[in-house]
Amino acid sequence: MDQLGSPDAMRAWSDARRAAGERLALVPTMGALHAGHARLIEVAHAHGDAVIVSIFVNPLQFDRRDDFDAYPRPLDDDAAVCAAAGVDALYAPTAATLYPPGFQTHVEPGPLADPMEGAGRPGHFRGVTTVVAKLLNATTPHVAMFGQKDYQQLAVIRRMVADLDMGVEIQAVPTVREPDGLALSSRNRRLSAEARRAAIVVPRALDSARACFEGGERVAARIEAVAASVVAAEPLARIEYAEVVDAGTLLRHEHVTGPSVLATAVWFGDIRLIDNVLLDP
Ligand code: AMP
């Protein structure tokens, strides 16, 4: 596995592989790799000849300094995971390399970035679109993998790639979960044992709301209330939002008439977890 630390070195690597006729697949991550990331790498192998994993904890997308500082960065372990997974190139630049003095250009997302994560984390998606544009420019992949666990991020990235004619195929990968249903996340490793036990209310809330939907409920507020009431029963959990939105526009409708998503953010102490489920009538 080759390791690259600068955009120029990364692009030179990709240029050589492209010249050899290879199809390149990128898996962008912030590291602290888990089985969810491993699944993205597996899917990447199915979509490309060479797989690039990027690891970069992007300061631009963090709205809280404490969350950025506490974000796990086990780079040596991550490199071993990538090598074992047959990754061809690991791109792990530093923040000083990606944002040198004088950096001032950003990618401004549109209304898809406004609700839910955008409302709770000001500037978050502007940081995501900017760094993903930079990662795509440096790695020049044919296809890039994104997890459905971050549903709004996937929607914002698809829009950016289409709007800016980036010519990269975006491949969505279903959420990988623990046996008890909790979605895998790098932030899970920061949960106390107690909070980890409590965190199963998140998938339970989504399951209950989905069951309510499958039982025929179409009023968005009632589906949201079911999810909120499951979370409210757990004293260690505090809900930030549970919203039913249109799967394409991410706009809230009073009634679920087409493909929709129930997305939620729940706090356990200072750890914030997100998850979602598709509701398709
Ligand atoms: P992150 O390192 O958390 O920024 O995530 C990197 C990529 O992995 C993103 O596209 C995420 O949506 C995806 N991802 C994270 N957790 C999971 C999961 N449990 N299942 C599937 N994809 C995931």
Side-chain angles (χ1 to χ4, degrees), residues 51-72:
V51 173
I52 306 164
V53 170
S54 66
I55 295 183
F56 182 62
V57 184
N58 176 32
L60 280 192
Q61 73 189 69
F62 283 80
D63 55 308
R64 289 160 51 217
R65 180 67 206 232
D66 61 315
D67 188 33
F68 175 70
D69 289 341
Y71 204 87

Side-chain angles (χ1 to χ4, degrees), residues 73-142:
R73 293 166 171 85
L75 188 57
D76 292 343
D77 294 351
D78 287 346
V81 169
C82 289
V87 169
D88 298 275
L90 175 58
Y91 179 43
T94 63
T97 308
L98 286 203
Y99 304 117
F103 178 89
Q104 59 178 246
T105 306
H106 298 82
V107 178
E108 194 66 55
L112 281 175
D114 289 344
M116 304 188 292
E117 290 303 283
R121 306 181 66 190
H124 169 66
F125 283 118
R126 181 180 192 249
V128 170
T129 47
T130 300
V131 80
V132 171
K134 285 169 69 69
L135 295 171
L136 293 174
N137 283 340
T139 59
T140 64
H142 297 81

Side-chain angles (χ1 to χ4, degrees), residues 22-247:
E22 291 187 5
R23 186 175 151 84
L24 307 182
L26 171 68
V27 179
T29 81
M30 296 204 300
L33 302 181
H34 51 64
H37 299 115
R39 178 76 194 125
L40 265 63
I41 293 170
E42 208 177 289
V43 176
H45 278 299
H47 282 83
D49 305 307
V51 173
I52 306 164
V53 170
S54 66
I55 295 183
F56 182 62
V57 184
N58 176 32
L60 280 192
Q61 73 189 69
F62 283 80
D63 55 308
R64 289 160 51 217
R65 180 67 206 232
D66 61 315
D67 188 33
F68 175 70
D69 289 341
Y71 204 87
R73 293 166 171 85
L75 188 57
D76 292 343
D77 294 351
D78 287 346
V81 169
C82 289
V87 169
D88 298 275
L90 175 58
Y91 179 43
T94 63
T97 308
L98 286 203
Y99 304 117
F103 178 89
Q104 59 178 246
T105 306
H106 298 82
V107 178
E108 194 66 55
L112 281 175
D114 289 344
M116 304 188 292
E117 290 303 283
R121 306 181 66 190
H124 169 66
F125 283 118
R126 181 180 192 249
V128 170
T129 47
T130 300
V131 80
V132 171
K134 285 169 69 69
L135 295 171
L136 293 174
N137 283 340
T139 59
T140 64
H142 297 81
V143 56
M145 315 295 134
F146 287 87
Q148 274 171 6
K149 198 224 149 205
D150 300 276
Y151 187 88
Q152 189 175 10
Q153 168 172 281
L154 175 62
V156 167
I157 295 297
R158 278 195 198 283
R159 193 70 248 166
M160 173 185 78
V161 165
D163 287 349
L164 300 185
D165 310 317
M166 296 176 113
V168 181
E169 181 187 329
I170 300 298
Q171 189 65 44
V173 179
T175 303
V176 178
R177 297 177 179 281
E178 299 278 9
D180 68 1
L182 182 66
L184 291 174
S185 162
S186 302
R187 289 188 176 86
N188 291 354
R189 63 171 80 185
R190 288 178 52 215
L191 294 169
S192 67
E194 248 193 326
R196 171 62 187 82
R197 279 192 292 275
I200 58 163
V201 290
V202 178
R204 279 195 189 148
L206 296 178
D207 280 349
S208 300
R210 180 174 47 196
C212 159
F213 168 77
E214 281 168 0
E217 183 61 75
R218 292 294 179 268
V219 177
R222 292 209 199 110
I223 299 168
E224 292 164 356
V226 168
S229 71
V230 173
V231 177
E234 168 51 61
L236 292 183
R238 185 175 63 76
I239 198 159
E240 182 177 310
Y241 66 80
E243 279 186 39
V244 175
V245 296
D246 180 275

